Amino acid sequence: MSWLVETKKAHYIAVIKTNQPTAHAQLAALPWQSIAVQHTASGTGHGRRESRSVKTCGIADELGGIAFPHARLAIRVHRRRKPTGTHETRESVYAVTSLDAHQAGPADLAAAIRGHWGVENSSHHIRDVTFAEDASTVHAGTAPRAMATLRNLAIGALKTLGTDNIAKTTRAIRDEPERALPILGITNNPDSYGNSSSFSVSRRTCPRPSFKTTSLPAVNAAISTTSTLSPS
């Protein structure tokens, strides 16, 4: 974060989860009850009704600040969800940003956080469930980052081709690995005797794989746990 703010002169919004216990506890302990709701939004879809209320609170360094670099503003999003036929659930989500209150309003911050959830739900869920990222035993050095990049590359390639079921397509490639070759732009290049012993990388648009796919809007697979905003 320091590199982002100090070197790139950019801003960030970071959702703080319970896996960052110190910062999460500090945010939860802020006097939210005495702060008025500054933005609300609601909607229905996917079989549920959802409402969100947003509060923000300035972070004063002289009062101890928050255990997160360059955090200037704390954000609490309180979500209420009511799936059809079930009970309502409530959840408070906390975030911090390097932006000051005059640089981004509560509605802007809420939109950025909601955008982060959309990307996380789309790609992180696939990485966690289909590619078993949470169960990975690769922890040494830069290997975890390299593996995350490879997973993102695979997800992005399949979505660009229009795959509507990443898990099903991944299983098909696992059972018949040669199906991955056209996705990567590698085509079979028989020699003059008709033997399929060599391969070449195609410079043309990568052909569709042989398994059936349907259209799906492209989603950027390269995500992080933060959303960045350009400097104001």
Side-chain angles (χ1 to χ4, degrees):
M1 292 305 173
S2 295
W3 173 84
L4 182 68
V5 175
E6 297 173 5
T7 304
K8 302 302 291 184
K9 307 301 180 184
H11 289 289
Y12 70 84
I13 298 175
V15 175
I16 305 300
K17 300 182 180 180
T18 53
N19 59 0
Q20 296 173 289
T22 301
H24 189 273
Q26 290 174 327
L27 289 168
L30 291 173
W32 297 111
Q33 296 298 325
S34 62
I35 299 174
V37 173
Q38 298 159 359
H39 173 73
T40 60
S42 61
T44 58
H46 304 287
R48 67 174 182 264
R49 183 176 70 252
E50 180 176 324
S51 64
R52 299 172 298 279
S53 61
V54 179
K55 296 181 178 182
T56 63
C57 178
I59 299 173
D61 289 334
E62 62 271 17
L63 297 179
I66 296 293
F68 206 87
H70 298 282
R72 302 298 299 274
L73 201 63
I75 308 159
R76 192 195 79 165
V77 180
H78 188 67
R79 298 190 292 185
R80 296 185 177 186
R81 290 180 174 178
K82 177 69 169 63
T84 303
T86 64
H87 297 292
E88 180 182 83
T89 61
R90 301 183 181 188
E91 177 189 23
S92 289
V93 177
Y94 300 100
V96 293
T97 178
S98 58
L99 293 161
D100 285 312
H102 70 276
Q103 294 175 299
D108 298 323
L109 297 173
I113 293 172
R114 187 163 175 77
H116 166 83
W117 285 333
V119 173
E120 184 177 68
N121 290 340
S122 173
S123 193
H124 281 189
H125 179 78
I126 295 171
R127 283 165 50 182
D128 291 342
V129 176
T130 303
F131 291 93
E133 185 172 65
D134 285 349
S136 174
T137 58
V138 178
H139 303 298
T142 59
R145 181 175 297 181
M147 290 301 299
T149 300
L150 292 173
R151 294 185 189 103
N152 285 336
L153 175 63
I155 294 169
L158 292 175
K159 286 189 173 182
T160 299
L161 288 170
T163 302
D164 62 342
N165 190 321
I166 299 291
K168 182 178 179 180
T169 304
T170 300
R171 288 193 297 270
I173 294 173
R174 178 199 62 196
D175 296 337
E176 298 181 50
E178 64 273 14
R179 291 186 173 191
L181 298 179
I183 298 175
L184 300 173
I186 302 174
T187 58
N188 192 341
N189 185 24
D191 59 24
S192 58
Y193 297 98
N195 297 318
S196 301
S197 58
S198 61
F199 292 90
S200 63
V201 178
S202 173
R203 296 182 180 274
R204 297 175 296 175
T205 302
C206 191
R208 280 185 174 274
S210 58
F211 46 82
K212 183 179 179 181
T213 61
T214 56
S215 177
L216 180 77
V219 177
N220 181 5
I223 65 173
S224 66
T225 56
T226 62
S227 299
T228 57
L229 301 178
S230 58
S232 57

